[in-house]
Amino acid sequence: MTASGPDPDPEALRRRAEAALRGARERTRTLTACVDERDLTAQHSPLMSPLVWDLAHIGNQEEQWLLRAVAGQEALRPEIDSVYDAFEHPRAERPALPLLSPAEARTYVAEVRGRVLDVLERLPLRGGPLVDAAFAFGMIAQHEQQHDETMLITHQLRRGPAALAAPPPPDTRDGAPLPAEVLVPGGPFTMGTSTEPWALDNERPAHRRVVPAFFIDTAPVTAGAYARFIEDGGYRQRRWWTGPGWRHVCEQRLTAPLFWRREGGRWLRRRFGVTEPVRPDEPVVHVSWYEADAYARWAGRRLPTEAEWEKAARHDPAEGRSRRYPWGDADPTPDHANLGQRHLRPAPAGSYPRGASPLGVRQLIGDVWEWTADDFLPYPGFRAFPYREYSQVFFGATYKVLRGGSFAVDPVACRGTFRNWDLPIRRQIFSGFRTARDAGPGEA
């Protein structure tokens, strides 16, 4: 896959699709093999499905799209389609469904995958939108990785001893003091993509946007900075919050990010079964859009718009074009960004200098999802593909956009054009933010 279009070598596409599918499945195994059957079938939060539901849903989606839609095969288990339809059953109701047992789910997903790999081995990767550039295989790899992130969120919500472990992210800060903010010059840029082969429908099409000059934080807002907002009475002062945000704070009695608590004069947090001090130099995580917006107001700033975020992440003023990633067009490596569950926490703010944008903005990819100011809306010329329920049914003022991915996101499901969305109250997700401000007279 390249910035200019699909790789012309079908064997290279085949290898890429197979690697993406196998990598997703290995992660799924890690997330489901580390706990016992009781934990797999339990609902650890009404916000989340039982882990075993996610596991079988992954297989069911793979069967429906790759075996039935692409290969034209008969359904293996049509009777479970309704059980694993995410739109038919809200998460809170799923434990009461006739779910496959962990053993049955594992057998099912393994049988589906074996057949899928046989299809991939012989299928000409051309001749229709689902198979051109192996799109459907890339879509399913992304779908599985997205559910892997969902399962990782379930692990964070799960009570009990730690089941997952990973080394801490390296401190790649280069020692040079960083400016607090970076000026992004005003003018047009290309937002979205029409050429990224595995881009999903809401990322398309590429289109021209004109963005006035603005300043954006060099790095995400840290936990230490957010603690100062709390200590200054941020959760007790109505003036920093939108009307719905303030009602939510009062109704839920919010006083700090999710999983934080004050003890012995310091902030502690629970992270994947371990209680530890909050690290002030890490990006703050597990904050809602309402909290991010209130902090930005308290700081005399605002959240960046989605267009501002993408321009800061992709626009190369020297070349006058939009890159795939802040650092260029090459796929992410561990030197560029904290992705793929290699670590179970964000890296210190200011890390990954090799992943910086042309203007010097850091950590735009990985570490924490970043809330933007905007509602989730379609781009001009949007077309739903291959089904309305991926994006179109969520468009409107209900959902806010997040960009950039987190440490829980795999590279196959993260790029400079990738768009995530969620309700403004959501905090269990791996969400943080950075702030922006308009460039004043004489600053642009």
Side-chain angles (χ1 to χ4, degrees), residues 238-280:
R238 165 69 181 83
R239 58 179 171 152
W240 306 128
W241 301 81
T242 64
W246 183 245
R247 286 194 296 274
H248 184 67
V249 165
C250 295
E251 290 168 1
Q252 300 299 316
R253 300 181 180 180
L254 303 184
T255 59
L258 187 60
F259 307 117
W260 283 33
R261 74 171 192 266
R262 190 77 171 168
E263 186 176 295
R266 62 177 180 167
W267 287 108
L268 303 178
R269 70 170 178 183
R270 180 166 59 85
R271 184 181 62 82
F272 298 108
V274 176
T275 297
E276 62 185 18
V278 168
R279 299 192 176 184

mmCIF file of all heavy atoms in Angstrom, residues 238-280:
data_model
loop_
_atom_site.group_PDB
_atom_site.id
_atom_site.type_symbol
_atom_site.label_atom_id
_atom_site.label_comp_id
_atom_site.label_asym_id
_atom_site.label_seq_id
_atom_site.Cartn_x
_atom_site.Cartn_y
_atom_site.Cartn_z
ATOM 1 N N ARG A 238 -18.792 26.212 37.431
ATOM 2 C CA ARG A 238 -19.688 26.084 36.278
ATOM 3 C C ARG A 238 -19.162 26.807 35.043
ATOM 4 O O ARG A 238 -19.411 26.389 33.910
ATOM 5 C CB ARG A 238 -21.067 26.654 36.692
ATOM 6 C CG ARG A 238 -22.030 26.946 35.548
ATOM 7 C CD ARG A 238 -22.518 25.676 34.892
ATOM 8 N NE ARG A 238 -23.421 25.946 33.791
ATOM 9 C CZ ARG A 238 -23.036 26.247 32.553
ATOM 10 N NH1 ARG A 238 -21.747 26.354 32.252
ATOM 11 N NH2 ARG A 238 -23.929 26.427 31.597
ATOM 12 N N ARG A 239 -18.396 27.870 35.221
ATOM 13 C CA ARG A 239 -18.033 28.733 34.100
ATOM 14 C C ARG A 239 -17.180 28.042 33.039
ATOM 15 O O ARG A 239 -17.081 28.529 31.909
ATOM 16 C CB ARG A 239 -17.309 29.987 34.595
ATOM 17 C CG ARG A 239 -16.046 29.711 35.389
ATOM 18 C CD ARG A 239 -15.386 31.000 35.824
ATOM 19 N NE ARG A 239 -14.278 30.780 36.761
ATOM 20 C CZ ARG A 239 -13.253 31.590 36.867
ATOM 21 N NH1 ARG A 239 -13.163 32.674 36.109
ATOM 22 N NH2 ARG A 239 -12.302 31.345 37.743
ATOM 23 N N TRP A 240 -16.504 26.960 33.387
ATOM 24 C CA TRP A 240 -15.629 26.305 32.411
ATOM 25 C C TRP A 240 -16.371 25.288 31.542
ATOM 26 O O TRP A 240 -15.792 24.781 30.571
ATOM 27 C CB TRP A 240 -14.473 25.596 33.110
ATOM 28 C CG TRP A 240 -13.672 26.458 34.031
ATOM 29 C CD1 TRP A 240 -13.357 26.217 35.334
ATOM 30 C CD2 TRP A 240 -13.063 27.720 33.724
ATOM 31 N NE1 TRP A 240 -12.620 27.226 35.863
ATOM 32 C CE2 TRP A 240 -12.412 28.170 34.901
ATOM 33 C CE3 TRP A 240 -13.013 28.525 32.583
ATOM 34 C CZ2 TRP A 240 -11.725 29.377 34.953
ATOM 35 C CZ3 TRP A 240 -12.333 29.727 32.637
ATOM 36 C CH2 TRP A 240 -11.704 30.139 33.808
ATOM 37 N N TRP A 241 -17.621 24.982 31.856
ATOM 38 C CA TRP A 241 -18.281 23.846 31.244
ATOM 39 C C TRP A 241 -19.430 24.274 30.341
ATOM 40 O O TRP A 241 -20.094 25.277 30.595
ATOM 41 C CB TRP A 241 -18.835 22.912 32.330
ATOM 42 C CG TRP A 241 -17.767 22.403 33.255
ATOM 43 C CD1 TRP A 241 -17.224 23.068 34.316
ATOM 44 C CD2 TRP A 241 -17.094 21.155 33.169
ATOM 45 N NE1 TRP A 241 -16.258 22.295 34.915
ATOM 46 C CE2 TRP A 241 -16.153 21.114 34.233
ATOM 47 C CE3 TRP A 241 -17.192 20.051 32.321
ATOM 48 C CZ2 TRP A 241 -15.321 20.016 34.447
ATOM 49 C CZ3 TRP A 241 -16.366 18.956 32.543
ATOM 50 C CH2 TRP A 241 -15.446 18.946 33.588
ATOM 51 N N THR A 242 -19.671 23.495 29.302
ATOM 52 C CA THR A 242 -20.901 23.673 28.537
ATOM 53 C C THR A 242 -22.084 23.283 29.427
ATOM 54 O O THR A 242 -21.916 22.599 30.453
ATOM 55 C CB THR A 242 -20.912 22.777 27.292
ATOM 56 O OG1 THR A 242 -20.900 21.395 27.703
ATOM 57 C CG2 THR A 242 -19.715 23.054 26.395
ATOM 58 N N GLY A 243 -23.286 23.666 29.016
ATOM 59 C CA GLY A 243 -24.460 23.294 29.797
ATOM 60 C C GLY A 243 -24.596 21.793 29.977
ATOM 61 O O GLY A 243 -24.719 21.297 31.113
ATOM 62 N N PRO A 244 -24.567 20.996 28.892
ATOM 63 C CA PRO A 244 -24.649 19.542 29.052
ATOM 64 C C PRO A 244 -23.468 18.973 29.844
ATOM 65 O O PRO A 244 -23.642 18.031 30.617
ATOM 66 C CB PRO A 244 -24.645 19.027 27.613
ATOM 67 C CG PRO A 244 -25.146 20.164 26.800
ATOM 68 C CD PRO A 244 -24.634 21.393 27.473
ATOM 69 N N GLY A 245 -22.294 19.566 29.667
ATOM 70 C CA GLY A 245 -21.130 19.083 30.404
ATOM 71 C C GLY A 245 -21.273 19.294 31.896
ATOM 72 O O GLY A 245 -20.957 18.410 32.705
ATOM 73 N N TRP A 246 -21.758 20.474 32.287
ATOM 74 C CA TRP A 246 -21.924 20.759 33.712
ATOM 75 C C TRP A 246 -23.001 19.861 34.330
ATOM 76 O O TRP A 246 -22.826 19.360 35.447
ATOM 77 C CB TRP A 246 -22.269 22.229 33.913
ATOM 78 C CG TRP A 246 -22.394 22.625 35.359
ATOM 79 C CD1 TRP A 246 -23.507 23.054 36.007
ATOM 80 C CD2 TRP A 246 -21.353 22.606 36.344
ATOM 81 N NE1 TRP A 246 -23.240 23.312 37.332
ATOM 82 C CE2 TRP A 246 -21.918 23.054 37.555
ATOM 83 C CE3 TRP A 246 -20.002 22.267 36.303
ATOM 84 C CZ2 TRP A 246 -21.184 23.156 38.739
ATOM 85 C CZ3 TRP A 246 -19.261 22.368 37.477
ATOM 86 C CH2 TRP A 246 -19.849 22.800 38.674
ATOM 87 N N ARG A 247 -24.083 19.628 33.600
ATOM 88 C CA ARG A 247 -25.111 18.709 34.111
ATOM 89 C C ARG A 247 -24.533 17.322 34.313
ATOM 90 O O ARG A 247 -24.815 16.659 35.330
ATOM 91 C CB ARG A 247 -26.298 18.656 33.140
ATOM 92 C CG ARG A 247 -27.166 19.898 33.171
ATOM 93 C CD ARG A 247 -28.495 19.668 32.464
ATOM 94 N NE ARG A 247 -28.330 19.392 31.038
ATOM 95 C CZ ARG A 247 -28.237 20.332 30.111
ATOM 96 N NH1 ARG A 247 -28.294 21.620 30.445
ATOM 97 N NH2 ARG A 247 -28.099 20.018 28.836
ATOM 98 N N HIS A 248 -23.707 16.886 33.375
ATOM 99 C CA HIS A 248 -23.110 15.559 33.497
ATOM 100 C C HIS A 248 -22.163 15.496 34.696
ATOM 101 O O HIS A 248 -22.179 14.513 35.452
ATOM 102 C CB HIS A 248 -22.359 15.210 32.206
ATOM 103 C CG HIS A 248 -21.787 13.837 32.195
ATOM 104 N ND1 HIS A 248 -22.549 12.703 32.188
ATOM 105 C CD2 HIS A 248 -20.486 13.410 32.211
ATOM 106 C CE1 HIS A 248 -21.767 11.639 32.197
ATOM 107 N NE2 HIS A 248 -20.515 12.039 32.207
ATOM 108 N N VAL A 249 -21.355 16.533 34.894
ATOM 109 C CA VAL A 249 -20.446 16.571 36.048
ATOM 110 C C VAL A 249 -21.236 16.473 37.349
ATOM 111 O O VAL A 249 -20.863 15.713 38.264
ATOM 112 C CB VAL A 249 -19.595 17.859 36.021
ATOM 113 C CG1 VAL A 249 -18.921 18.102 37.367
ATOM 114 C CG2 VAL A 249 -18.552 17.783 34.927
ATOM 115 N N CYS A 250 -22.310 17.226 37.435
ATOM 116 C CA CYS A 250 -23.100 17.234 38.668
ATOM 117 C C CYS A 250 -23.828 15.910 38.884
ATOM 118 O O CYS A 250 -23.837 15.365 40.004
ATOM 119 C CB CYS A 250 -24.105 18.391 38.637
ATOM 120 S SG CYS A 250 -23.338 20.035 38.635
ATOM 121 N N GLU A 251 -24.443 15.380 37.821
ATOM 122 C CA GLU A 251 -25.188 14.133 37.960
ATOM 123 C C GLU A 251 -24.283 12.960 38.318
ATOM 124 O O GLU A 251 -24.650 12.107 39.128
ATOM 125 C CB GLU A 251 -25.939 13.842 36.657
ATOM 126 C CG GLU A 251 -27.103 14.785 36.398
ATOM 127 C CD GLU A 251 -27.645 14.657 34.983
ATOM 128 O OE1 GLU A 251 -27.114 13.800 34.226
ATOM 129 O OE2 GLU A 251 -28.566 15.409 34.625
ATOM 130 N N GLN A 252 -23.097 12.920 37.712
ATOM 131 C CA GLN A 252 -22.176 11.807 37.945
ATOM 132 C C GLN A 252 -21.172 12.085 39.058
ATOM 133 O O GLN A 252 -20.365 11.212 39.388
ATOM 134 C CB GLN A 252 -21.419 11.485 36.642
ATOM 135 C CG GLN A 252 -22.321 11.087 35.493
ATOM 136 C CD GLN A 252 -23.124 9.838 35.793
ATOM 137 O OE1 GLN A 252 -22.595 8.863 36.330
ATOM 138 N NE2 GLN A 252 -24.411 9.868 35.453
ATOM 139 N N ARG A 253 -21.224 13.310 39.597
ATOM 140 C CA ARG A 253 -20.315 13.715 40.681
ATOM 141 C C ARG A 253 -18.852 13.492 40.295
ATOM 142 O O ARG A 253 -18.057 12.923 41.056
ATOM 143 C CB ARG A 253 -20.656 12.966 41.981
ATOM 144 C CG ARG A 253 -22.070 13.236 42.462
ATOM 145 C CD ARG A 253 -22.380 12.501 43.749
ATOM 146 N NE ARG A 253 -23.747 12.774 44.194
ATOM 147 C CZ ARG A 253 -24.297 12.266 45.288
ATOM 148 N NH1 ARG A 253 -23.582 11.438 46.049
ATOM 149 N NH2 ARG A 253 -25.533 12.571 45.622
ATOM 150 N N LEU A 254 -18.516 13.967 39.132
ATOM 151 C CA LEU A 254 -17.146 13.801 38.641
ATOM 152 C C LEU A 254 -16.210 14.766 39.352
ATOM 153 O O LEU A 254 -16.548 15.936 39.577
ATOM 154 C CB LEU A 254 -17.089 14.044 37.133
ATOM 155 C CG LEU A 254 -17.998 13.189 36.256
ATOM 156 C CD1 LEU A 254 -17.750 13.498 34.785
ATOM 157 C CD2 LEU A 254 -17.808 11.711 36.536
ATOM 158 N N THR A 255 -15.022 14.293 39.681
ATOM 159 C CA THR A 255 -14.014 15.138 40.335
ATOM 160 C C THR A 255 -12.628 14.977 39.739
ATOM 161 O O THR A 255 -11.714 15.724 40.103
ATOM 162 C CB THR A 255 -13.925 14.807 41.840
ATOM 163 O OG1 THR A 255 -13.587 13.411 41.994
ATOM 164 C CG2 THR A 255 -15.250 15.087 42.550
ATOM 165 N N ALA A 256 -12.446 14.022 38.821
ATOM 166 C CA ALA A 256 -11.123 13.728 38.253
ATOM 167 C C ALA A 256 -11.315 12.778 37.088
ATOM 168 O O ALA A 256 -12.415 12.226 36.895
ATOM 169 C CB ALA A 256 -10.209 13.098 39.310
ATOM 170 N N PRO A 257 -10.276 12.532 36.278
ATOM 171 C CA PRO A 257 -10.394 11.530 35.216
ATOM 172 C C PRO A 257 -10.787 10.163 35.762
ATOM 173 O O PRO A 257 -10.555 9.850 36.943
ATOM 174 C CB PRO A 257 -8.984 11.502 34.605
ATOM 175 C CG PRO A 257 -8.423 12.857 34.894
ATOM 176 C CD PRO A 257 -8.966 13.222 36.241
ATOM 177 N N LEU A 258 -11.376 9.361 34.903
ATOM 178 C CA LEU A 258 -11.741 8.004 35.289
ATOM 179 C C LEU A 258 -10.499 7.244 35.756
ATOM 180 O O LEU A 258 -9.408 7.403 35.197
ATOM 181 C CB LEU A 258 -12.359 7.287 34.089
ATOM 182 C CG LEU A 258 -12.968 5.904 34.341
ATOM 183 C CD1 LEU A 258 -14.095 5.966 35.360
ATOM 184 C CD2 LEU A 258 -13.479 5.319 33.022
ATOM 185 N N PHE A 259 -10.671 6.467 36.801
ATOM 186 C CA PHE A 259 -9.640 5.613 37.409
ATOM 187 C C PHE A 259 -8.679 6.388 38.318
ATOM 188 O O PHE A 259 -7.772 5.788 38.886
ATOM 189 C CB PHE A 259 -8.833 4.822 36.353
ATOM 190 C CG PHE A 259 -9.686 4.027 35.408
ATOM 191 C CD1 PHE A 259 -9.703 4.291 34.044
ATOM 192 C CD2 PHE A 259 -10.496 2.999 35.878
ATOM 193 C CE1 PHE A 259 -10.493 3.563 33.167
ATOM 194 C CE2 PHE A 259 -11.292 2.261 35.013
ATOM 195 C CZ PHE A 259 -11.290 2.542 33.656
ATOM 196 N N TRP A 260 -8.841 7.704 38.474
ATOM 197 C CA TRP A 260 -8.018 8.475 39.404
ATOM 198 C C TRP A 260 -8.666 8.496 40.786
ATOM 199 O O TRP A 260 -9.893 8.526 40.909
ATOM 200 C CB TRP A 260 -7.877 9.917 38.931
ATOM 201 C CG TRP A 260 -6.933 10.170 37.807
ATOM 202 C CD1 TRP A 260 -6.640 9.346 36.767
ATOM 203 C CD2 TRP A 260 -6.187 11.371 37.586
ATOM 204 N NE1 TRP A 260 -5.760 9.957 35.905
ATOM 205 C CE2 TRP A 260 -5.470 11.205 36.383
ATOM 206 C CE3 TRP A 260 -6.067 12.579 38.277
ATOM 207 C CZ2 TRP A 260 -4.628 12.189 35.859
ATOM 208 C CZ3 TRP A 260 -5.239 13.567 37.757
ATOM 209 C CH2 TRP A 260 -4.523 13.371 36.569
ATOM 210 N N ARG A 261 -7.825 8.572 41.816
ATOM 211 C CA ARG A 261 -8.316 8.845 43.164
ATOM 212 C C ARG A 261 -7.218 9.548 43.959
ATOM 213 O O ARG A 261 -6.035 9.369 43.695
ATOM 214 C CB ARG A 261 -8.768 7.572 43.876
ATOM 215 C CG ARG A 261 -7.670 6.656 44.359
ATOM 216 C CD ARG A 261 -8.232 5.547 45.242
ATOM 217 N NE ARG A 261 -7.206 4.804 45.942
ATOM 218 C CZ ARG A 261 -6.650 3.689 45.523
ATOM 219 N NH1 ARG A 261 -7.009 3.177 44.352
ATOM 220 N NH2 ARG A 261 -5.729 3.072 46.244
ATOM 221 N N ARG A 262 -7.641 10.339 44.899
ATOM 222 C CA ARG A 262 -6.704 11.101 45.740
ATOM 223 C C ARG A 262 -6.449 10.315 47.016
ATOM 224 O O ARG A 262 -7.385 9.867 47.679
ATOM 225 C CB ARG A 262 -7.316 12.465 46.063
ATOM 226 C CG ARG A 262 -6.360 13.449 46.716
ATOM 227 C CD ARG A 262 -5.423 14.037 45.693
ATOM 228 N NE ARG A 262 -4.638 15.135 46.239
ATOM 229 C CZ ARG A 262 -3.604 15.679 45.659
ATOM 230 N NH1 ARG A 262 -3.213 15.232 44.460
ATOM 231 N NH2 ARG A 262 -2.938 16.670 46.196
ATOM 232 N N GLU A 263 -5.187 10.149 47.358
ATOM 233 C CA GLU A 263 -4.843 9.391 48.568
ATOM 234 C C GLU A 263 -3.486 9.850 49.080
ATOM 235 O O GLU A 263 -2.513 9.895 48.322
ATOM 236 C CB GLU A 263 -4.798 7.888 48.252
ATOM 237 C CG GLU A 263 -4.602 7.002 49.463
ATOM 238 C CD GLU A 263 -4.670 5.532 49.104
ATOM 239 O OE1 GLU A 263 -5.754 5.069 48.671
ATOM 240 O OE2 GLU A 263 -3.623 4.843 49.218
ATOM 241 N N GLY A 264 -3.430 10.206 50.363
ATOM 242 C CA GLY A 264 -2.159 10.606 50.962
ATOM 243 C C GLY A 264 -1.529 11.811 50.306
ATOM 244 O O GLY A 264 -0.298 11.891 50.201
ATOM 245 N N GLY A 265 -2.367 12.736 49.834
ATOM 246 C CA GLY A 265 -1.838 13.950 49.233
ATOM 247 C C GLY A 265 -1.340 13.796 47.812
ATOM 248 O O GLY A 265 -0.691 14.707 47.284
ATOM 249 N N ARG A 266 -1.623 12.678 47.179
ATOM 250 C CA ARG A 266 -1.182 12.502 45.786
ATOM 251 C C ARG A 266 -2.265 11.776 44.994
ATOM 252 O O ARG A 266 -3.146 11.111 45.557
ATOM 253 C CB ARG A 266 0.128 11.711 45.722
ATOM 254 C CG ARG A 266 0.028 10.307 46.284
ATOM 255 C CD ARG A 266 1.330 9.555 46.126
ATOM 256 N NE ARG A 266 1.252 8.203 46.660
ATOM 257 C CZ ARG A 266 2.148 7.258 46.443
ATOM 258 N NH1 ARG A 266 3.228 7.527 45.702
ATOM 259 N NH2 ARG A 266 2.003 6.056 46.956
ATOM 260 N N TRP A 267 -2.178 11.904 43.687
ATOM 261 C CA TRP A 267 -3.110 11.240 42.801
ATOM 262 C C TRP A 267 -2.605 9.842 42.453
ATOM 263 O O TRP A 267 -1.452 9.660 42.082
ATOM 264 C CB TRP A 267 -3.303 12.028 41.514
ATOM 265 C CG TRP A 267 -4.123 13.272 41.686
ATOM 266 C CD1 TRP A 267 -3.687 14.561 41.664
ATOM 267 C CD2 TRP A 267 -5.539 13.336 41.892
ATOM 268 N NE1 TRP A 267 -4.731 15.426 41.858
ATOM 269 C CE2 TRP A 267 -5.885 14.699 41.993
ATOM 270 C CE3 TRP A 267 -6.548 12.373 42.009
ATOM 271 C CZ2 TRP A 267 -7.189 15.122 42.203
ATOM 272 C CZ3 TRP A 267 -7.853 12.798 42.213
ATOM 273 C CH2 TRP A 267 -8.162 14.148 42.306
ATOM 274 N N LEU A 268 -3.505 8.864 42.599
ATOM 275 C CA LEU A 268 -3.236 7.495 42.172
ATOM 276 C C LEU A 268 -4.208 7.143 41.050
ATOM 277 O O LEU A 268 -5.262 7.760 40.903
ATOM 278 C CB LEU A 268 -3.424 6.510 43.330
ATOM 279 C CG LEU A 268 -2.584 6.744 44.586
ATOM 280 C CD1 LEU A 268 -2.943 5.706 45.638
ATOM 281 C CD2 LEU A 268 -1.099 6.690 44.266
ATOM 282 N N ARG A 269 -3.853 6.128 40.285
ATOM 283 C CA ARG A 269 -4.766 5.639 39.262
ATOM 284 C C ARG A 269 -4.677 4.124 39.182
ATOM 285 O O ARG A 269 -3.659 3.524 39.550
ATOM 286 C CB ARG A 269 -4.439 6.249 37.895
ATOM 287 C CG ARG A 269 -3.142 5.737 37.294
ATOM 288 C CD ARG A 269 -2.997 6.177 35.850
ATOM 289 N NE ARG A 269 -1.724 5.732 35.289
ATOM 290 C CZ ARG A 269 -1.314 6.023 34.068
ATOM 291 N NH1 ARG A 269 -2.064 6.765 33.279
ATOM 292 N NH2 ARG A 269 -0.151 5.584 33.618
ATOM 293 N N ARG A 270 -5.751 3.530 38.695
ATOM 294 C CA ARG A 270 -5.755 2.090 38.446
ATOM 295 C C ARG A 270 -5.518 1.876 36.958
ATOM 296 O O ARG A 270 -6.196 2.470 36.116
ATOM 297 C CB ARG A 270 -7.088 1.477 38.873
ATOM 298 C CG ARG A 270 -7.175 -0.026 38.646
ATOM 299 C CD ARG A 270 -8.354 -0.623 39.403
ATOM 300 N NE ARG A 270 -9.612 -0.023 38.989
ATOM 301 C CZ ARG A 270 -10.335 -0.409 37.933
ATOM 302 N NH1 ARG A 270 -9.878 -1.375 37.142
ATOM 303 N NH2 ARG A 270 -11.491 0.172 37.647
ATOM 304 N N ARG A 271 -4.540 1.029 36.649
ATOM 305 C CA ARG A 271 -4.175 0.768 35.257
ATOM 306 C C ARG A 271 -3.996 -0.719 35.058
ATOM 307 O O ARG A 271 -3.043 -1.312 35.531
ATOM 308 C CB ARG A 271 -2.890 1.528 34.881
ATOM 309 C CG ARG A 271 -2.490 1.399 33.417
ATOM 310 C CD ARG A 271 -1.199 2.156 33.135
ATOM 311 N NE ARG A 271 -0.080 1.627 33.894
ATOM 312 C CZ ARG A 271 0.641 0.550 33.533
ATOM 313 N NH1 ARG A 271 0.363 -0.082 32.421
ATOM 314 N NH2 ARG A 271 1.640 0.138 34.290
ATOM 315 N N PHE A 272 -4.953 -1.350 34.385
ATOM 316 C CA PHE A 272 -4.904 -2.782 34.081
ATOM 317 C C PHE A 272 -4.600 -3.617 35.320
ATOM 318 O O PHE A 272 -3.724 -4.480 35.314
ATOM 319 C CB PHE A 272 -3.901 -3.058 32.962
ATOM 320 C CG PHE A 272 -4.256 -2.390 31.662
ATOM 321 C CD1 PHE A 272 -3.533 -1.307 31.197
ATOM 322 C CD2 PHE A 272 -5.343 -2.835 30.923
ATOM 323 C CE1 PHE A 272 -3.878 -0.680 30.009
ATOM 324 C CE2 PHE A 272 -5.697 -2.207 29.736
ATOM 325 C CZ PHE A 272 -4.963 -1.133 29.269
ATOM 326 N N GLY A 273 -5.324 -3.333 36.390
ATOM 327 C CA GLY A 273 -5.213 -4.123 37.604
ATOM 328 C C GLY A 273 -4.125 -3.698 38.560
ATOM 329 O O GLY A 273 -3.961 -4.307 39.620
ATOM 330 N N VAL A 274 -3.377 -2.660 38.226
ATOM 331 C CA VAL A 274 -2.292 -2.173 39.083
ATOM 332 C C VAL A 274 -2.617 -0.747 39.524
ATOM 333 O O VAL A 274 -2.987 0.087 38.692
ATOM 334 C CB VAL A 274 -0.942 -2.196 38.326
ATOM 335 C CG1 VAL A 274 0.167 -1.585 39.183
ATOM 336 C CG2 VAL A 274 -0.597 -3.628 37.920
ATOM 337 N N THR A 275 -2.485 -0.476 40.819
ATOM 338 C CA THR A 275 -2.648 0.886 41.311
ATOM 339 C C THR A 275 -1.275 1.536 41.409
ATOM 340 O O THR A 275 -0.347 0.960 41.978
ATOM 341 C CB THR A 275 -3.334 0.895 42.678
ATOM 342 O OG1 THR A 275 -4.647 0.343 42.535
ATOM 343 C CG2 THR A 275 -3.454 2.312 43.224
ATOM 344 N N GLU A 276 -1.141 2.743 40.848
ATOM 345 C CA GLU A 276 0.159 3.399 40.770
ATOM 346 C C GLU A 276 -0.032 4.910 40.840
ATOM 347 O O GLU A 276 -1.135 5.424 40.583
ATOM 348 C CB GLU A 276 0.858 3.032 39.464
ATOM 349 C CG GLU A 276 0.090 3.482 38.225
ATOM 350 C CD GLU A 276 0.711 3.028 36.912
ATOM 351 O OE1 GLU A 276 1.521 2.099 36.926
ATOM 352 O OE2 GLU A 276 0.368 3.623 35.877
ATOM 353 N N PRO A 277 1.010 5.656 41.181
ATOM 354 C CA PRO A 277 0.903 7.112 41.141
ATOM 355 C C PRO A 277 0.671 7.604 39.715
ATOM 356 O O PRO A 277 1.187 7.038 38.745
ATOM 357 C CB PRO A 277 2.264 7.585 41.668
ATOM 358 C CG PRO A 277 2.830 6.417 42.411
ATOM 359 C CD PRO A 277 2.318 5.200 41.711
ATOM 360 N N VAL A 278 -0.123 8.639 39.587
ATOM 361 C CA VAL A 278 -0.295 9.298 38.299
ATOM 362 C C VAL A 278 1.041 9.919 37.894
ATOM 363 O O VAL A 278 1.692 10.585 38.701
ATOM 364 C CB VAL A 278 -1.389 10.378 38.382
ATOM 365 C CG1 VAL A 278 -1.378 11.266 37.145
ATOM 366 C CG2 VAL A 278 -2.755 9.724 38.567
ATOM 367 N N ARG A 279 1.455 9.694 36.678
ATOM 368 C CA ARG A 279 2.725 10.235 36.200
ATOM 369 C C ARG A 279 2.488 11.594 35.557
ATOM 370 O O ARG A 279 1.824 11.680 34.513
ATOM 371 C CB ARG A 279 3.370 9.267 35.211
ATOM 372 C CG ARG A 279 3.658 7.919 35.849
ATOM 373 C CD ARG A 279 4.546 7.062 34.995
ATOM 374 N NE ARG A 279 4.875 5.827 35.673
ATOM 375 C CZ ARG A 279 5.710 4.907 35.200
ATOM 376 N NH1 ARG A 279 6.315 5.112 34.036
ATOM 377 N NH2 ARG A 279 5.950 3.795 35.881
ATOM 378 N N PRO A 280 2.993 12.651 36.151
ATOM 379 C CA PRO A 280 2.635 13.995 35.676
ATOM 380 C C PRO A 280 3.118 14.321 34.273
ATOM 381 O O PRO A 280 2.564 15.210 33.630
ATOM 382 C CB PRO A 280 3.278 14.917 36.714
ATOM 383 C CG PRO A 280 4.346 14.111 37.355
ATOM 384 C CD PRO A 280 3.865 12.696 37.344
#
